[in-house]
């Protein structure tokens, strides 16, 4: 994160001489093949902010930073605010209201927007309205049914965009108006309930493959492409739980070469939580140790399968293949399970 900020700030001052802190940072790290010192990175950022008329820093999803180590990040934000006046630095942070984050950031904030308030209902309504108008699955419904969907989801959403996205996908699969109305009467109350319903609806014949896919998507050392995942587990995409990493790009790249990820951080939270261990969806609960064991076994199996035909030559292996991923990361997974 700090390196990214340094790189972006340097682009703004590229027509001037670099600050001494940045020059020293290069000579003490990159030039000699070392990782940069965290303290030096912070100092360089602070110096570049002082050299700029106005700097904006945007940090998204602070709550997804590991809880046991994000104290240092929060302390740095606190120090930034203390060291620079509001006229030269503005910081935008998005996060769920975790207690430690609220405790540190609340005294620093001059303006907040709660996503669990009526403030964003208009945004959610716009998203629902556009989805109902333009998604093919809703074109078969009358305006009356669409209005019922819109009004019901707005009334129940409580600011949860993710909840709305998942429910629209479920409603899009309904065939007749009576199916839509039945689904609206039985809307899951929260994201956990949404994920539980999605997992429970997976056909029996696909359950084993979906479970394997979730292991890879939750704990893989590097995001897999669709082609790699298909080779690893042989599965179709479940769109409410899985999405393309580059879904906002022009889509010119073949689907098989595009990286996959879990559709939202809350999907991972649910899959590894004790809550997922209850009820029919318990089959899909994931532990990191089990995931590393499964992935390490799959990688070594793929390598052994190929090596039976001779030596693996790096320049002859497509870097988007599962074999390439296996050769690059098998030891990462195995190392993680040495103590099991």
């Amino acid at each position: 994160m700090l390196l990214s900020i340094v790189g972006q700030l340097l682009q703004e001052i590229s027509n001037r001489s670099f600050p001494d802190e940045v020059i020293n940072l290069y000579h003490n790290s990159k030039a000699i093949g070392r990782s940069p010192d965290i303290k030096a990175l912070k100092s360089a950022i602070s110096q570049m902010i002082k050299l700029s008329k106005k700097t904006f820093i945007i940090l998204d999803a602070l709550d997804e930073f590991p809880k046991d180590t994000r104290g240092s990040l929060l302390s740095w934000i606190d120090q930034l605010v203390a060291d620079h006046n509001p006229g030269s630095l503005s910081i935008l942070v998005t996060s769920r209201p975790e207690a430690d984050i609220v405790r540190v950031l609340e005294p620093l904030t001059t303006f907040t927007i709660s996503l669990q308030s009526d403030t964003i209902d208009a945004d959610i309504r716009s998203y629902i309205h556009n989805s109902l108008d333009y998604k093919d699955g809703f074109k078969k419904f009358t305006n009356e049914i669409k209005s019922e969907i819109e009004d019901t989801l707005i009334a129940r959403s409580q600011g949860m965009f993710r909840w709305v996205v998942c429910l629209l996908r479920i409603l899009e699969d309904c065939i007749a108006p009576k199916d839509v109305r039945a689904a609206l009467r039985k809307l899951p109350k929260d994201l956990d309930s949404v994920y539980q319903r999605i997992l429970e609806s997976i056909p029996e014949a696909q359950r084993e493959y979906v479970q394997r896919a979730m292991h890879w998507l939750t704990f893989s050392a590097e995001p897999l492409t669709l082609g790699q995942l298909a080779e690893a587990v042989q599965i179709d995409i479940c769109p409410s739980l899985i999405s393309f990493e580059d879904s906002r790009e022009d889509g010119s790249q073949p689907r098989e070469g595009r990286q996959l990820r879990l559709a939202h951080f809350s999907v991972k939270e649910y899959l590894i939580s004790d809550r997922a261990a209850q009820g029919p969806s318990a089959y899909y609960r994931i532990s990191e140790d089990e995931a590393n064991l499964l992935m390490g076994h799959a990688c070594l199996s793929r390598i052994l399968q190929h090596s039976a035909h001779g030596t693996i030559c790096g320049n002859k292996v497509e870097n988007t293949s599962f074999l390439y991923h296996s050769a690059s990361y098998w030891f990462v997974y195995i190392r993680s399970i040495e103590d099991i």
Side-chain angles (χ1 to χ4, degrees):
M1 180 201 70
L2 294 173
L3 282 167
S4 176
I5 294 175
V6 168
Q8 292 175 67
L9 290 176
L10 282 175
Q11 293 177 22
E12 297 301 314
I13 62 171
S14 58
N15 59 338
R16 293 171 282 165
S17 59
F18 287 170
D20 291 341
E21 282 83 355
V22 175
I23 301 297
N24 293 335
L25 185 62
Y26 174 80
H27 287 304
N28 293 329
S29 56
K30 180 72 173 179
I32 57 176
R34 290 183 181 176
S35 297
D37 178 68
I38 295 294
K39 185 177 180 180
L41 282 170
K42 293 177 179 178
S43 176
I45 291 173
S46 185
Q47 185 61 31
M48 284 187 282
I49 291 172
K50 291 175 182 176
L51 292 174
S52 303
K53 291 182 179 179
K54 181 72 175 181
T55 300
F56 295 88
I57 295 178
I58 302 173
L59 303 174
D60 184 37
L62 219 62
D63 55 291
E64 295 180 18
F65 197 87
K67 191 170 184 178
D68 56 345
T69 55
R70 70 180 173 219
S72 59
L73 175 57
L74 292 170
S75 297
W76 175 67
I77 295 173
D78 189 12
Q79 192 62 48
L80 269 184
V81 174
D83 290 346
H84 303 277
N85 64 66
S88 65
L89 174 65
S90 292
I91 302 176
L92 171 64
V93 171
T94 70
S95 175
R96 285 178 292 186
E98 301 288 343
D100 58 324
I101 295 174
V102 172
R103 184 175 60 253
V104 174
L105 297 187
E106 197 167 49
L108 309 177
T109 54
T110 55
F111 186 73
T112 61
I113 299 176
S114 172
L115 297 187
Q116 264 63 52
S117 72
D118 297 339
T119 309
I120 66 160
D121 279 355
D123 294 329
I124 292 179
R125 185 177 291 277
S126 294
Y127 176 78
I128 295 172
H129 191 76
N130 286 336
S131 297
L132 294 174
D133 278 350
Y134 297 111
K135 288 190 175 181
D136 291 339
F138 292 114
K139 290 181 179 179
K140 59 182 176 284
F141 297 128
T142 63
N143 289 335
E144 180 185 0
I145 290 295
K146 291 179 181 179
S147 294
E148 287 183 38
I149 293 173
E150 184 174 328
D151 293 340
T152 304
L153 292 184
I154 284 291
R156 299 279 299 277
S157 67
Q158 297 181 317
M160 293 187 290
F161 252 108
R162 176 69 187 152
W163 182 86
V164 170
V165 171
C166 291
L167 266 297
L168 282 172
R169 285 207 173 110
I170 291 174
L171 293 168
E172 194 175 1
D173 290 335
C174 292
I175 304 299
K178 67 175 184 178
D179 301 323
V180 173
R181 292 188 171 108
L184 290 175
R185 287 193 297 270
K186 300 177 182 178
L187 290 178
K189 64 181 185 302
D190 53 28
L191 278 177
D192 277 6
S193 303
V194 171
Y195 297 148
Q196 182 176 349
R197 177 181 292 189
I198 293 169
L199 292 170
E200 289 174 6
S201 67
I202 294 171
E204 181 74 25
Q206 296 181 14
R207 291 179 66 196
E208 179 183 353
Y209 301 112
V210 171
Q211 185 200 46
R212 290 185 203 165
M214 293 306 170
H215 280 85
W216 281 101
L217 292 165
T218 305
F219 291 111
S220 177
E222 180 184 68
L224 298 182
T225 65
L226 177 58
Q228 289 171 330
L229 185 64
E231 188 175 349
V233 299
Q234 299 178 343
I235 182 171
D236 294 327
I237 288 184
C238 183
S240 292
L241 302 178
I242 304 169
S243 65
F244 285 108
E245 184 80 42
D246 52 355
S247 58
R248 295 185 184 181
E249 295 182 4
D250 61 12
S252 59
Q253 186 178 12
R255 284 165 57 92
E256 290 75 12
R258 296 167 63 187
Q259 290 184 326
L260 292 170
R261 61 177 174 83
L262 293 176
H264 193 261
F265 184 70
S266 58
V267 178
K268 176 178 179 178
E269 284 189 320
Y270 177 71
L271 292 173
I272 65 176
S273 71
D274 292 335
R275 304 186 303 276
Q278 303 169 10
S281 62
Y283 178 82
Y284 299 100
R285 186 180 182 274
I286 295 170
S287 77
E288 187 169 5
D289 288 341
E290 290 175 354
N292 283 316
L293 185 61
L294 179 146
M295 293 186 294
H297 181 272
C299 287
L300 289 175
S301 295
R302 183 66 186 90
I303 292 170
L304 291 171
Q305 180 187 24
H306 185 88
S307 62
H309 304 290
T311 304
I312 299 175
C313 298
N315 59 351
K316 293 183 179 179
V317 178
E318 291 284 342
N319 59 9
T320 57
S321 70
F322 182 59
L323 176 60
Y324 185 91
H325 179 91
S326 298
S328 300
Y329 295 105
W330 68 268
F331 61 91
V332 175
Y333 305 128
I334 298 300
R335 184 171 56 200
S336 299
I337 60 175
E338 285 179 346
D339 298 329
I340 295 179

